[in-house]
Amino acid sequence: MLVQAIFYTVFVAQLLLVSYYYPRKFTARISYLLANYPPEQYPKLYPKPYDYHAENGAKKSLRAYRFVNGLILVAGFGILTAMLASGYTPRLLGGDEVFVLLFGAVQTVPHMITEIGTAKYFKRMKEVDISTTKKADLRPRRLFDFISPAYIGLAVILYIGWLVFFLGNSEFDAGLTTPAYVTVIGTATMHLLITGVIMMNIRGLKVDPHQAYRDQLKQIETTIRICVFVIILMNSFLILMDASDRYAWEVFDPVFTSLYLQLIIIFSLGLRFRKSRVEEVDFSVYKEDVWLV
Amino acid sequence: MQVIVDTNSSMPLFAQLVEQIKQAVQAELVAPGDALPSIRQLATDLRMNSKTVAKAYSLLERDSVIQTKGYRGTFIHPDAKANSNVDLSSWVRAQLKQTIQTLKAANVTDSEIRIAFVEIMHNRPNSGD
């Protein structure tokens, strides 16, 4: 009964957090932007073809975004009601976390689509940027300017910790195709990709060609923090899942998975909203030829 | 402290960088010992070839305005302020002007001066040999 109560509570929290709370924050942010920074005054914020009927287009996209999230929310509560009606309880031997993970993946689809849309928007912004003046700050950017070494250390320790814990509990005799090898290689690849994202942010081209340097630094800091927190959470989750197998806590696997998903969202989307508040962004750079002023 | 380069300017990009870094030193916007961005970072931020930034850095290093400390990076030289006053290109012009005036006084023609200058610049053997 307790397991059932915990599971339902955590799943409701997942539904509300991913498909209601953060979508609401996102739409509020875009609405604020449209209301306060119109195309007439901030033309660089609306590169073609976004400049045509920018407001109507954005409002239409926002409506679609709200609708899809609402649909997922209703579907989630529908599934939850059906589970309650059938008296569902997580299986003692685990395995139900797959459904939590799948539903979580569906919940993140609208967020992924907005990420892809944002990337396309910035690409377009770069394409239409005809400015002949380029600015750069005369200060070096280094990893530890953006994040405390303690967090990096914790991420490394947790990864090594998981590796030791996992390898001590796995079979490697059956060749390279065994799940153990796939897990180790997959996890290493994931860590390398995240490290690549961190390096790209420090050394690579800035995403928004007009962005003020202060905002760029803030964005780099937020992205690096998100990446490191994701590594910390991922390794903690992997250790927890291995411990769950070892100490027969599998009945809590769906709860652990849901909590993991929620923490990932809190430390990615949530951190982004907290750190880069739209009210604090320097929008003067998006005015016409601001560099001449 | 920001540097701004204009790709439409008649002044070469490396010269714009050298001038602005020297101006920043003069205006004390950067202090001796301050770290500078790596060649790669500055080139990426300014969306220019890293060889252009490397050229600007090597000229600044030659003038002792900056110093490179191996893998630790590039820093503002302790005597940068005094050294950034030295304008080597003006000094070269003054020296050349004086030499050319001396040669012209000795009735050496423009083309003779030009040929000799090019030969010396390119380490070619004297055409009169």
Side-chain angles (χ1 to χ4, degrees), chain A residues 51-280:
Chain A
D51 58 340
Y52 298 114
H53 314 295
E55 208 174 339
N56 289 335
K59 279 181 180 168
K60 206 174 151 187
S61 304
L62 275 184
R63 272 199 299 273
Y65 175 76
R66 255 195 296 250
F67 175 73
V68 174
N69 276 301
L71 208 65
I72 294 170
L73 193 66
V74 170
F77 276 110
I79 293 169
L80 209 65
T81 312
M83 285 160 86
L84 266 170
S86 66
Y88 165 81
T89 308
R91 278 184 287 180
L92 279 175
L93 290 176
D96 292 353
E97 64 275 12
V98 175
F99 301 108
V100 175
L101 212 59
L102 277 176
F103 195 77
V106 172
Q107 279 187 289
T108 54
V109 167
H111 302 287
M112 293 290 181
I113 292 171
T114 55
E115 284 294 320
I116 294 167
T118 309
K120 278 185 182 170
Y121 163 78
F122 284 126
K123 191 181 169 202
R124 186 72 193 133
M125 206 183 235
K126 273 184 197 164
E127 283 168 359
V128 299
D129 177 27
I130 49 161
S131 162
T132 58
T133 54
K134 314 285 177 209
K135 287 181 195 172
D137 202 82
L138 269 187
R139 274 170 296 184
R141 292 192 293 270
R142 296 186 183 116
L143 177 65
F144 295 132
D145 296 339
F146 300 103
I147 191 160
S148 156
Y151 286 122
I152 302 284
L154 182 63
V156 173
I157 288 168
L158 279 171
Y159 178 52
I160 295 169
W162 168 74
L163 215 54
V164 170
F165 196 59
F166 180 75
L167 296 181
N169 202 24
S170 302
E171 295 292 332
F172 284 87
D173 307 334
L176 275 170
T177 52
T178 55
Y181 275 108
V182 174
T183 309
V184 169
I185 293 167
T187 315
T189 311
M190 193 70 181
H191 281 82
L192 282 175
L193 280 174
I194 296 174
T195 310
V197 171
I198 292 174
M199 298 317 288
M200 282 268 289
N201 266 272
I202 298 174
R203 294 183 177 173
L205 272 174
K206 62 178 177 181
V207 186
D208 174 353
H210 307 297
Q211 194 176 36
Y213 191 66
R214 184 178 59 92
D215 292 331
Q216 186 195 352
L217 291 181
K218 207 187 256 186
Q219 189 188 307
I220 294 173
E221 183 186 328
T222 310
T223 309
I224 290 173
R225 279 168 180 262
I226 289 172
C227 288
V228 174
F229 290 150
V230 165
I231 290 180
I232 290 172
L233 285 170
M234 188 168 71
N235 287 305
S236 307
F237 176 67
L238 289 170
I239 291 172
L240 191 65
M241 291 311 267
D242 281 347
S244 173
D245 284 347
R246 198 180 282 194
Y247 304 113
W249 302 336
E250 285 103 332
V251 72
F252 289 106
D253 280 1
V255 171
F256 293 151
T257 308
S258 178
L259 284 175
Y260 168 64
L261 280 174
Q262 289 179 56
L263 286 172
I264 288 278
I265 293 288
I266 290 168
F267 280 96
S268 53
L269 271 182
L271 194 68
R272 178 84 63 204
F273 283 130
R274 270 203 311 279
K275 282 275 175 186
S276 81
R277 295 169 64 83
V278 72
E279 299 86 355
E280 292 168 6

Side-chain angles (χ1 to χ4, degrees), chain B residues 117-128:
Chain B
F117 181 81
V118 170
E119 281 176 354
I120 291 165
M121 275 299 286
H122 293 95
N123 289 323
R124 287 186 201 144
N126 191 336
S127 56

